[in-house]
Amino acid sequence: MSSRAHRIGAVAGALLALLATGPAAAGAAAEISIDDASLLYLSSRDWERQSAPRKVALAADFMRIFCTDQSMSAASLADCLDRDKADGALFERAMACVSVLSTGR
């Protein structure tokens, strides 16, 4: 019976340790995911926090996957997203920008 109590105590201790570090670990994971995220997963607020070179890199990655016009400039898409302050998901805004940019050619 003491072996069982020892195992329960060990599991409880491990769970308490996880609960104690959970918020810090979650915050670190959120930072990493924003740095490594694609435009698809960023919020408008996250987009605004990105540096200009990072925005162009995110736009280029988006265009590589979702756009058929590979000659379009990623910087143009990043600029359009900076100017477009519409509500809604960044992905939807990016698709709208790509549509506008491709018809403007």
Side-chain angles (χ1 to χ4, degrees), residues 12-65:
L15 287 175
L16 286 173
L18 283 174
L19 288 173
T21 60
E31 271 183 36
I32 292 169
S33 67
I34 288 173
D35 289 342
D36 296 333
S38 75
L39 189 139
L40 179 65
Y41 301 110
L42 291 180
S43 68
S44 295
R45 178 181 235 167
D46 293 333
W47 173 260
E48 292 171 5
R49 292 179 183 162
Q50 304 301 310
S51 67
R54 179 73 177 141
K55 286 179 179 180
V56 172
L58 287 165
D61 184 53
F62 172 85
M63 292 172 69
R64 181 181 53 81
I65 297 168

Side-chain angles (χ1 to χ4, degrees), residues 3 6-7 9 18 21-22 29 32 34-35 37-38 46 53 57 59 63-64 66 77 80 95-96 99-100 102-103:
S3 174
H6 181 68
R7 275 185 279 163
L18 283 174
T21 60
I32 292 169
I34 288 173
D35 289 342
S38 75
D46 293 333
M63 292 172 69
R64 181 181 53 81
F66 294 102
L77 174 57
C80 180
M95 291 302 286
S99 178
V100 166
S102 66
T103 59

